[in-house]
Amino acid sequence: MGILQTLFGDDAAVLYERDFQLLLLASLSSPLGASVVSPILEGLTGPLGVSSARAGLLMAVFTAPAIVLIPLVGVLSDRVGRKPVLTGGLLLFGLAGLAVTLTTDFRSVLGLRFLQGVGYTGIAPVLITSVGDIFADDADAEASAQGLRFTAVGVSLTVFPVLSGALVVLAWQYPFYLYGLAVPTALVVWALFEEPTAADAVGPNGADAGHADDADKPVRDGSTRALLSLTTHPRVAATLVGRAVPSFLWFVFLTYNSVVVVRFLGGSAGVAGLLVAAASVASSVSSTQSGRITAAFDTRVVPMFASTTAIGAGVLALVFAPSTLVAGVGVVFAGAGFGLGLTLYRSALTGSAPVELRGGLVSLGESAGRLGSTVAPVLTGAVVAVAAPTLGPVDSVRWGVVGVVAAAVLVGVVSVAVVDRFDAPARSRAGTSTAD
């Protein structure tokens, strides 16, 4: 374990947990919904007989279901178990993606993309929750595991867009065959994944011995009323609000990266792609170090605050960069802050709920993130449009981005301050608190 320990510290042992390895495998599929289609949208206009604007709906119909369905799927995973939901999500996601190759009717493709979006809601949130289940008794190991899972996502985000762009040259259908990865993954998860049982959830000292009759059953007795009550706790509510901030800032970057590189700096789309890749690598690297970083502080508040300001500063460095080199430095800061911040917020949510409510709370967090991702380009575009007649095309983008980034960072800072102010709610099964 020498090399792994050098890279990831004492918590490298999490990589030898079989169930966690299965979650890493499933994590390769979770980001494919956007990353496979985004690079080939323009190439789909001909085969599907639509304009570029209408082709963009292929992204919108995929992301839309998550805002509403993720919380419901989270509650479902608490009730029926993680494995059935994860397996079903992977199968629906993969099969719907493969089915796109069978038609050129745009409405049918939109419907299949919508089904993929439904399938996605059973993948990413359940993966995050399951990591929390496995490492419920070790907060540092859980933070490291969440970071390593995010690294697997980063690897997928680096590799599959390149494959998609290469395959579309051969035929427009070929990139959609990449979704086939989710199908065998679902079968492997169903055959080998073992959910933590109620006995596992109570910790090493058997604090919940009174539930011995249920010790061999996955915990799945969360209630909607209890979940809603949990979200009214100030610390939990602030964490949910703060969870939207990294996603919001990240999508501001993704939306305006190419505008800055091509229009302001005279670069190419290829250069813009390299900056996205650099940010993704920085995000992956920082997420792997989340366990070490949290262990270095008495509280998670400091790294949470630092991650939020790093993303904001990185985005501002991009839009005001005098050269692509400076822009590259900015996006590395943004990526590093995003990877760390996303991991810390997800870990904070998994640690704020008893095991029977964890899936529902994590799913609410993911919905908050999706909401931030959806609002970011719309809000920023509206601000830029309003400012354009007065400031001109360049300064309207720069100062419009400044305005929305400053507002988002302020929301993030206030959220972190509230998290620091209040202790975590009691965790009913473990009988412990996760106060930092």
Side-chain angles (χ1 to χ4, degrees):
M1 195 170 69
I3 295 177
L4 293 177
Q5 188 162 4
T6 299
L7 291 174
F8 307 121
D10 293 337
D11 292 324
V14 300
L15 290 169
Y16 292 88
E17 168 65 47
R18 190 190 69 173
D19 288 329
F20 180 58
Q21 292 172 355
L22 294 171
L23 298 181
L24 291 179
L25 175 62
S27 294
L28 295 176
S29 296
S30 65
L32 297 184
S35 64
V36 166
V37 173
S38 179
I40 64 172
L41 274 176
E42 187 63 28
L44 296 177
T45 56
L48 300 181
V50 295
S51 65
S52 298
R54 292 194 70 197
L57 293 175
L58 295 174
M59 299 292 285
V61 297
F62 173 76
T63 58
I67 298 174
V68 175
L69 291 183
I70 281 181
L72 301 179
V73 172
V75 173
L76 180 66
S77 77
D78 285 332
R79 292 182 177 274
V80 306
R82 317 295 188 214
K83 184 162 74 171
V85 176
L86 177 57
T87 303
L90 285 165
L91 283 174
L92 180 59
F93 179 82
L95 293 175
L98 288 172
V100 172
T101 65
L102 303 178
T103 181
T104 56
D105 179 71
F106 185 64
R107 292 184 179 180
S108 298
V109 174
L110 285 179
L112 291 169
R113 286 288 288 166
F114 183 87
L115 288 177
Q116 276 197 293
V118 174
Y120 171 86
T121 64
I123 303 174
V126 178
L127 290 173
I128 297 164
T129 306
S130 296
V131 172
D133 291 340
I134 294 172
F135 302 105
D137 298 323
D138 190 335
D140 289 339
E142 194 265 344
S144 289
Q146 295 287 8
L148 289 167
R149 196 202 70 82
F150 192 74
T151 299
V153 171
V155 170
S156 181
L157 286 171
T158 302
V159 173
F160 284 99
V162 177
L163 288 176
S164 180
L167 290 171
V168 77
V169 175
L170 303 175
W172 74 266
Q173 299 99 329
Y174 283 10
F176 290 92
Y177 288 121
L178 296 174
Y179 290 120
L181 171 68
V183 176
T185 299
L187 300 179
V188 171
V189 169
W190 181 257
L192 300 179
F193 184 66
E194 297 181 4
E195 294 189 57
T197 64
D200 299 326
V202 300
N205 296 322
D208 199 15
H211 295 274
D213 292 340
D214 298 327
D216 294 329
K217 301 177 182 178
V219 178
R220 54 186 64 167
D221 58 347
S223 72
T224 302
R225 182 178 298 177
L227 178 61
L228 292 176
S229 177
L230 181 63
T231 62
T232 63
H233 188 282
R235 182 181 173 113
V236 175
T239 305
L240 287 170
V241 172
R243 168 64 184 86
V245 173
S247 296
F248 180 96
L249 294 171
W250 182 250
F251 268 74
V252 172
F253 156 63
L254 290 178
T255 302
Y256 287 92
N257 172 61
S258 61
V259 173
V260 170
V261 171
V262 176
R263 190 187 303 175
F264 299 174
L265 302 178
S268 65
V271 173
L274 288 175
L275 291 186
V276 173
S280 297
V281 170
S283 175
S284 297
V285 171
S286 68
S287 65
T288 65
Q289 302 304 308
S290 58
R292 283 178 166 176
I293 293 171
T294 55
F297 295 93
D298 294 331
T299 173
R300 292 187 181 186
V301 168
V302 174
M304 289 171 77
F305 173 80
S307 67
T308 301
T309 54
I311 311 172
V315 174
L316 296 184
L318 167 69
V319 297
F320 284 98
S323 67
T324 54
L325 178 61
V326 176
V329 174
V331 303
V332 167
F333 268 92
F338 177 67
L340 177 61
L342 201 61
T343 301
L344 291 178
Y345 273 108
R346 283 171 166 170
S347 180
L349 287 172
T350 61
S352 295
V355 67
E356 66 269 20
L357 299 177
R358 187 175 293 139
L361 184 60
V362 169
S363 296
L364 286 176
E366 292 307 291
S367 286
R370 281 280 172 158
L371 183 60
S373 301
T374 304
V375 169
V378 177
L379 177 60
T380 309
V383 172
V384 170
V386 170
T390 303
L391 300 179
V394 174
D395 284 343
S396 63
V397 170
R398 286 175 171 164
W399 291 106
V401 169
V402 168
V404 296
V405 166
V409 170
L410 178 61
V411 171
V413 169
V414 172
S415 298
V416 171
V418 175
V419 169
D420 187 41
R421 172 68 177 80
F422 291 90
D423 290 336
R427 294 171 60 178
S428 60
R429 282 192 178 273
T432 61
S433 172
T434 56
D436 287 318

